[in-house]
Amino acid sequence: MLLAPAFWNGYPLLQSDTGGYLARWYEGYLVPSRSTVFGLYLHYGEHTYFWGNLAIQALATMWILQLMLRVFGLAGPWRLFGSCLALTLTTALPWLASMLLTDIFSGLSVLSLFLLVLYSSKISRSEKIALFVFTAFSAATHSATMGVLLGLCCVGWILRPFLCGRIPTTHLVQGTLTIAAGAIMLLLGNFALSGQLAWTPGGPALAFARMLQDGIVTRYLNDHCATQQFKLCPYRNELPETADDFLWSRESIFNKLGRFPGLGNEMGYIAVHALADYPLWQAEAALTDAGEQLLKVATGENTDHPTMMHTYGLFRDFLPQQLKVVDAARQQKSHLTFGPFNLIHVPVALISTVLVFVLLLAALWRKRVDDVTLLLATVCLTLLGNAFICGVISGPHDRYGSRLVWITTFALMIAGMRYWQRDDIPNGRSRPT
């Protein structure tokens, strides 16, 4: 079920960013927002035509879902089957598992961190080690994923004294160390492939692009070009309206001025100084973008044929032996459209998002801090953290929401199963949590 989209396609699904990760092994230098760790992961699956990567993604998904059910006392093959079936039919999960992209690891890493921190006492030593390695690897695949996981750990440390021992210190230390391990993994991957012991570049540049979309960059250039000579000054009245058009359009000013090598330092400078010059505007834009990001949850962004020419080009350059199979896939024949799926995915995602927040507020109002409440709190914090990190730095995109929002549906399924399980007990007595 989880790989049904890939089987239907005839080849693992690609996305406009896939090529950038794939090329890290071959090009040997760092590219903004393209993790070398994930690039290595893709490289070692090339000989299987990347079906090995999809097998890992599907098995990891099954493993973490069954672990979640088990620690909540809901273990059973039919519950696992039913959960996977429901998620396959109503969420983006199978599309994430079937795609050569970091996105499947975003939601799974939140659940694995949740298990490691809150339920280490209910899992075996080997499972703890596996969860630790998996969470660290997931953190290393994308800076936003690492940021969300780090934020969850920070909130855990803040709330731990108030939760009456529900978060053991040793378990929280283990969870925090996964972030450190992921950071070390990323630094070593960057050094191995590029010779630079450096972080993956791109943060300030992406923030600049988001500010451009919000109109802040044009205002900054208008205010400062009279006294400072920026490369962008002659073009300040020709800047595109969206960040995507600026960064990825072939005819953009960004390309004309040398892309990241030619314009990166200037973009970083403007992004930093615009924060100081327009703090209220920045705060308002940040809240607006984060709120918009919470609502952007459609499946399939940038998986259509026209947006993936860069990825196709890299396949031609580095994996020409796979071109025949790639070209034969339905995705490359423009037969892939997500409109019908999003008629289901978007309402389910938005309703699930509203319900998890409502249920969490109801539980807090009743001062009930049980296992389900902790899961709902983790999911809500994840959505808020992801909306802030992605919306404020990169600007709102459906992809950033869809890769995480399926865990809200899964959390509601667990809450529902626990509720019915409690009601099935004779005399109305609930099982201890």
Side-chain angles (χ1 to χ4, degrees), residues 87 90-91 107 110-111 294 297 345-357 359 375-376 378-384 401-416:
L87 292 171
T90 63
T91 74
V110 171
L111 299 180
L294 275 175
V297 293
H345 292 182
V346 172
V348 169
L350 294 178
I351 292 171
S352 297
T353 299
V354 171
L355 287 178
V356 292
F357 278 99
L359 290 178
L375 174 60
L376 296 174
T378 300
V379 169
C380 290
L381 288 169
T382 296
L383 295 180
L384 293 173
S402 67
R403 68 188 179 191
L404 273 173
V405 76
W406 67 268
I407 67 174
T408 64
T409 307
F410 183 54
L412 289 176
M413 291 164 57
I414 288 179

Side-chain angles (χ1 to χ4, degrees), residues 12 49 69 83 96 110 136 200 233 259 274 277 310 352 372 385 397 401 406:
Y49 281 55
L69 293 174
S83 298
L96 301 175
V110 171
T200 303
C233 284
R259 296 186 61 80
D277 281 12
H310 177 253
S352 297
V372 172
H397 287 77
W406 67 268

Side-chain angles (χ1 to χ4, degrees), residues 5-6 45 48-49 145 147 173 185 188 205-206 246 250 309 315 334 401 410 432:
T48 68
Y49 281 55
T145 300
V173 169
M185 196 181 296
L188 292 178
L206 295 178
F246 178 76
R250 289 185 176 184
M309 300 313 295
F315 267 85
S334 301
F410 183 54

